[in-house]
Amino acid sequence: MLSRNKVSRNCSRTRITDASVAPFVDPAADLPDCISLDPLTEDSLLANLLSRFKSDHIYTYIGNILLSINPYKPLAQYTEQAIADYKLRTVAISQLPPHVYALADHAWRSLRDFYSDQVIVITGESGSGKTEASKLILQYLGFATGKSKELETVRQQLLLCNPVLEAFGNAKSLHNDNSSRFGKYIELEFDYKGEPVGGLITHYLLEKSRVTVQHPGERNFHIFFQLLAGADVQLLKSLKLQRNTENYLYLRNNHSNPSVWHQSDKDEFFNTKKALESVGFSAEDIVNIFRIVAAVLKLGNLIFTPVSNIDGTEGCSINNDYELEEVATLLMIPAEELRSALLYRTYSVSCSAMDAHGMAVGGGGGANCFSRDSTLPRDSTTSRTFLGNNHQSHSQPQQLLLQQRTSLLSTSASMVGRDMYQMMDGCHGSDVGFQAALASRAYQDAKDDFVMTDLSAAEATTGRDTLCKALYYRLFTWIINSINERIKVKQHGKRRILGVLDIYGFENLPVNGFEQLIINYCNEKLQHYVTEIVVKEEQEIYMQEGLEWSPILFPDNLAVCDLIEKHNLGLLAIMDEECQRSTNGSDDAFLSRVGQVFQDNIQIEVAWGLLSKNADSTAMNAFRLKHYAGWVTYNVAGFLQKNSDLLVRGLSQSMYQCAHPIVKELFPEGNPRRTTLRRPATSGTQFKMAIIALMRSLRSKNPHFVRCIKPNAFKQPHHFDVQTIQQQIRHLGLLETAQVKKNGFAFRQPYAWFLQRYKMLSTVTWPHWGGVAIEGAARLLRDLPISATEYAFGRRMLFIKNDSTLMQLEDFRRIRLNDLATLIQKTFRGWATRWLFFKRRQAQIKIAAAWRRYKADAPLRRMRWRLSSVARREYLELRQRRRMIEAVLVIERSYIQWKRRRYLNRLAIRLPSTSPTCREWPNVALFLRDTNQILKKLYHVWRCHRYRIGFDQIGRNRMREKVTASLLFRNRKESYARSVAHPFQGDYVRLRQNSQWRKLVNETSDQYIVFADIVSKITRSSGRLVPVLFVVSTSSMMILDQRTLNIKYRVPAADIVRISLSPFLDDIAVFHVKSFDNTSSSVANLQTGCLHFQQSSESSVLSPSFGNKWKGDLVLQTCHVIELVTKMFLVVQNAAGKAPEVNVHTDFEVSVGHQAVEFSFHCTGPTEVQPGHVRIVRRGYRLEVTL
């Protein structure tokens, strides 16, 4: 073991701890690349690092791997000029001083030139400067790329993500004042030009336990202190906060200098707030974020005081209600609902599926009977159980509990006995066990009920801490997701990715828990990845390609990785198995299980096996694991609880009910509609899957490595602790890496790829090589001034020894590409010049020909000039005349418009009467005659409409009849004009008031009279006029005796098929009836529509005992012939569904019995002939009517 002595040197302020390294220090040794050391040993490597550290050269190469030593002080080598020097370099990267900018530039150039995905992996212990290295890489990528306005916003957002992530994800630890307490993997996306177009941030396992508990000498996350130190008074007042950190339980573990940290936190708060605004968060979003942060601090101040219930069980109450009220205000939730979620637990019971013995039937087992939202209380003597109906509102828990305490406590002893509590305690939250307890108590009628229990003060405190951790962790995730939404790529197209991995470093604290196991597991995977890529795969490729190679042994930590992550047999699998156990699942059981599974494994020691393997000892509830960086002791207290990481459903539901816009998004499982009881994956499993995905992503990209080293464990500048660095060199395998890089090759590529990229460097391979790729590559290299010792040929690949040779090839390629570009430009310019010469020559020929033609056409042009002058004058005269005509037309239009306006204004004043019979209308000018006629018609239509809507139902019917008469007889019947002025009365004999008629119509369906009058029936034999009473009802046409009112003839309206009239002034109308078969005598024949003869005047017309005889068509004469025919037309139309034919003619046939008689009308007298002055003469089958 090396002794630890402090050696001071006069030449430097650097203190070297461990004097044994002094003999190996060569003052002249300050090599930027460790593979140049000869001999290459651990001592020479240490000496070189010390020499460079004394000169503040904290960066050193091991081939293409960058070593970075944390100086614990600011250095003046991160300026914009330094960025420009590395961006504009024209030499190999190995010829410039080692720098993190050089590595970032190399990765960016590889992405741009080779168009392949790149990744920069930053590894090292906690406190070695990984976070600062990632910030510098992002700074270089932001400033070294182009400055287009379109990409400036994206670039600023990518750069300003770091302050936000550091504020919410970093904290002061024992090894680092700005320690990343989460893993961060940033993927920057670049277009084909190498310009950043977007990005994606992936985070891994935030150490959320730090929210509630910190190790001595450490602090909580920065944002808590920044908010208290930097927020103005108004913001603090709105957040219910005070500046003194000692007022908050979660911040009292701060043993640093308060004044120094207060000023730093105050400055950082403004940077964080500005970064949030620049990334794209609105002012409202920022305030809502701070409200959640303040709520976490205020929740930590809640004090739970134990109380004894009247039944002897233990409960608790909140001692400082004002803190609860302020938290409820910040989260926008009723205080009573939050109080209930913190003090009580509710278990839903659904036993509707139980059989007669109380057990669940059907699929699902116990899950159908009991659904839990949290782990059941462990101690049945310290909690109370209340049974209630699940349909009651959870928003009123206090009133519910007060009622239950008085009404249900008396029955709780009989319903929920001590055996039920013991069953609940034994099953540790098992559905099956609780189902059995319920079955034993015969809860067949407990459908959709719930069980509510008091929490003890310790249980309530644990629930509060769990809620605070969940709030902060989910807020952190929400912020990262929001940043990703704002910086994601907005444009389409091919893109390449440059990833930057900055994950927490290896930790070995005085007390290590679940978080340290997860962190160290991640570092084990990264160490295995780096070792496999840099050492193992490199040597395997050399041997596969047939190169001469002496294998270099290296430490392999695959066994430790398998020990932690192996399926079913790893630590994480055992932990998950214990978390899922229904009984006996505890931290002690987990430790016992680990001891049983790994009792023969030399990589792990449990508590009772330490003395046999190592002199050190540890607590009995711990195990030791041999990592690549040494033994680490893990205390298993809280392992299962942190791994399961379950938030009780009551708290999730209460957070989902918050009106706070962000909190509601953070707890989607609190939605009452989500009824799934599926257990989420444990924290360890989730992290393992994330690490596996990360490793898969890293292997798909070309890696670049930054190995960070801390010079001492005290965070002091100018202090070089040799033993600390020596341990890190051994743990990281840097000596083996340097030996592989020194003896190996810096660059390798398949022959086809190499030939395709560099074929323009030889005239033999340019532009196409038709042979085998290896022969083309060999011929190409022979034509270049490169020594044969700088490259080697493998079976499939070409190997290049040094980066300088590769840079020389790239320089040759760049020069050759410039020459080719010059050749292309020269050829194009020659072609363009020739093309321009020929175009100008053709133009000159055309110009010369046109000039000669112009000179020859001079006389003709003079003649054209004179003609054009005359034409110009005539054109001016025509234009003047046209303007005069246009002026006249304008005046005419204006005059006509004025006349129209005046006409309309006067017409509005002089409108005639609204009576439809009024024929008056104002006269107008000739050009308005058509408009005047249109307006006259429209006005007449309007006042007719006004006139019609003023009628009642009777008036409408009469108007309908008048209109029908007009349609039937206007311009067809000469007597129509005399009927226009006379209203249609219908019942001229007032038959409706006759009592005998009313008695008669009770036996028929003819009670509605349409027309009744004494008319003259013209006999068919002689043509004499016989007065009869003619009645038309809504269903038939009848001829009655005038004195007795007996029905002589009755014809249904549907049987009248046609009505015939003459066009003269006579009053004769013929009603043509449907033909009738006289051989039928049934009653049905009375309704066929034929004209019937009634044999007995005393018998009813509907009596079937009398025969009927068809008499033919009916010929009538009445002075109301227009009215009669019109009404009969409407009756028949309504009864038959179609209008009868109205025949107006001088000659037509009339059916008399079964004979057809022709009626013929002749007008021989004056035009004005009275209705009775007709002469009717029958001559055989012809009946002549003379007027």
Side-chain angles (χ1 to χ4, degrees), residues 706-749:
V706 179
R707 311 305 296 271
C708 296
I709 298 175
K710 60 180 181 181
N712 58 78
F714 312 105
K715 298 182 287 186
Q716 296 180 1
H718 310 295
H719 185 183
F720 191 89
D721 188 349
V722 175
Q723 184 177 3
T724 300
I725 296 181
Q726 188 179 45
Q727 291 177 352
Q728 295 176 71
I729 290 176
R730 293 173 179 175
H731 297 157
L732 296 178
L734 297 183
L735 180 60
E736 293 82 0
T737 301
Q739 291 173 349
V740 171
K741 293 295 182 182
K742 180 180 179 67
N743 301 324
F745 298 87
F747 178 80
R748 64 176 183 273
Q749 282 296 339

Side-chain angles (χ1 to χ4, degrees), residues 702-929:
N702 183 35
H704 307 265
F705 298 103
V706 179
R707 311 305 296 271
C708 296
I709 298 175
K710 60 180 181 181
N712 58 78
F714 312 105
K715 298 182 287 186
Q716 296 180 1
H718 310 295
H719 185 183
F720 191 89
D721 188 349
V722 175
Q723 184 177 3
T724 300
I725 296 181
Q726 188 179 45
Q727 291 177 352
Q728 295 176 71
I729 290 176
R730 293 173 179 175
H731 297 157
L732 296 178
L734 297 183
L735 180 60
E736 293 82 0
T737 301
Q739 291 173 349
V740 171
K741 293 295 182 182
K742 180 180 179 67
N743 301 324
F745 298 87
F747 178 80
R748 64 176 183 273
Q749 282 296 339
Y751 293 114
W753 185 95
F754 179 83
L755 188 62
Q756 179 65 25
R757 183 166 182 82
Y758 300 107
K759 63 182 179 179
M760 72 287 299
L761 301 182
S762 173
T763 57
V764 178
T765 57
W766 178 258
H768 300 290
W769 171 255
V772 182
I774 186 173
E775 297 177 358
R779 183 61 183 272
L780 189 152
L781 290 172
R782 284 200 299 268
D783 293 344
L784 295 177
I786 298 178
S787 173
T789 59
E790 291 295 324
Y791 56 85
F793 293 95
R795 293 187 177 94
R796 297 176 295 107
M797 295 183 180
L798 176 70
F799 295 85
I800 296 178
K801 185 70 175 177
N802 298 315
D803 281 334
S804 58
T805 305
L806 178 63
M807 188 61 189
Q808 188 177 8
L809 280 173
E810 289 293 324
D811 291 339
F812 292 157
R813 181 176 182 271
R814 182 172 59 254
I815 296 172
R816 179 57 178 162
L817 288 178
N818 291 335
D819 295 341
L820 292 175
T822 303
L823 178 61
I824 294 173
Q825 291 176 352
K826 178 181 68 175
T827 305
F828 174 77
R829 288 170 181 169
W831 172 85
T833 304
R834 286 192 299 274
W835 178 84
L836 182 60
F837 168 75
F838 286 120
K839 292 292 289 184
R840 289 177 177 176
R841 183 178 180 183
Q842 293 175 2
Q844 185 271 336
I845 293 173
K846 290 181 180 180
I847 293 172
W851 172 252
R852 289 191 295 268
R853 187 166 54 251
Y854 170 79
K855 295 295 288 183
D857 293 344
L860 182 59
R861 283 199 308 275
R862 287 193 293 269
M863 183 182 296
R864 290 175 180 172
W865 173 255
R866 289 193 294 269
L867 292 175
S868 63
S869 299
V870 175
R872 188 180 298 107
R873 286 194 300 270
E874 292 181 357
Y875 166 74
L876 293 176
E877 293 176 359
L878 290 174
R879 188 175 65 176
Q880 183 65 22
R881 189 179 303 117
R882 186 180 61 197
R883 289 180 177 177
M884 293 172 62
I885 294 173
E886 291 177 353
V888 171
L889 293 176
V890 170
I891 294 172
E892 182 183 8
R893 284 197 300 269
S894 301
Y895 175 74
I896 292 174
Q897 291 176 1
W898 172 78
K899 291 287 286 184
R900 289 173 180 169
R901 286 195 300 271
R902 191 179 69 167
Y903 161 69
L904 293 176
N905 292 334
R906 288 184 177 181
L907 182 61
I909 299 172
R910 301 176 183 178
L911 283 175
S913 172
T914 57
S915 174
T917 59
C918 180
R919 301 299 180 188
E920 297 179 359
W921 192 258
N923 295 325
V924 295
L926 183 62
F927 71 92
L928 293 173
R929 183 173 56 188

Side-chain angles (χ1 to χ4, degrees), residues 420-538:
M420 176 180 175
Y421 286 117
Q422 293 173 355
M423 179 65 73
M424 293 164 61
D425 179 54
C427 69
H428 188 53
S430 170
D431 293 347
V432 178
F434 189 64
Q435 176 184 343
L438 291 178
S440 65
R441 291 298 176 185
Y443 282 102
Q444 291 88 349
D445 299 329
K447 181 179 180 181
D448 294 335
D449 287 351
F450 63 89
V451 179
M452 180 174 288
T453 63
D454 283 18
L455 296 181
S456 65
E459 292 169 342
T461 302
T462 302
R464 177 205 63 188
D465 293 343
T466 303
L467 176 61
C468 291
K469 292 185 288 186
L471 263 175
Y472 190 83
Y473 175 74
R474 299 187 186 197
L475 173 64
F476 182 74
T477 304
W478 181 86
I479 291 174
I480 292 181
N481 293 337
S482 301
I483 293 175
N484 287 335
E485 188 65 26
R486 289 165 172 83
I487 66 175
K488 69 179 181 181
V489 179
K490 306 297 191 300
Q491 59 188 12
H492 299 284
K494 293 183 178 180
R495 298 179 295 273
R496 287 299 174 185
I497 295 174
L498 195 157
V500 180
L501 178 62
D502 171 22
I503 208 158
Y504 16 54
F506 187 87
E507 291 187 348
N508 188 358
L509 304 177
V511 179
N512 299 287
F514 174 79
E515 293 83 1
Q516 280 66 44
L517 176 64
I518 294 298
I519 291 173
N520 293 342
Y521 160 63
C522 175
N523 281 270
E524 288 284 355
K525 293 291 292 184
L526 280 179
Q527 176 65 17
H528 176 69
Y529 165 74
V530 175
T531 303
E532 189 173 25
I533 294 295
V534 175
V535 181
K536 181 180 179 181
E537 290 185 1
E538 193 82 10

Side-chain angles (χ1 to χ4, degrees), residues 322-349:
Y322 63 93
E323 295 279 8
L324 180 69
E325 295 287 345
E326 292 178 350
V327 172
T329 302
L330 291 171
L331 297 180
M332 302 180 186
I333 182 177
E336 293 302 324
E337 184 171 348
L338 182 60
R339 183 196 307 274
S340 175
L342 291 172
L343 299 182
Y344 309 101
R345 290 291 177 270
T346 303
Y347 311 90
S348 62
V349 181

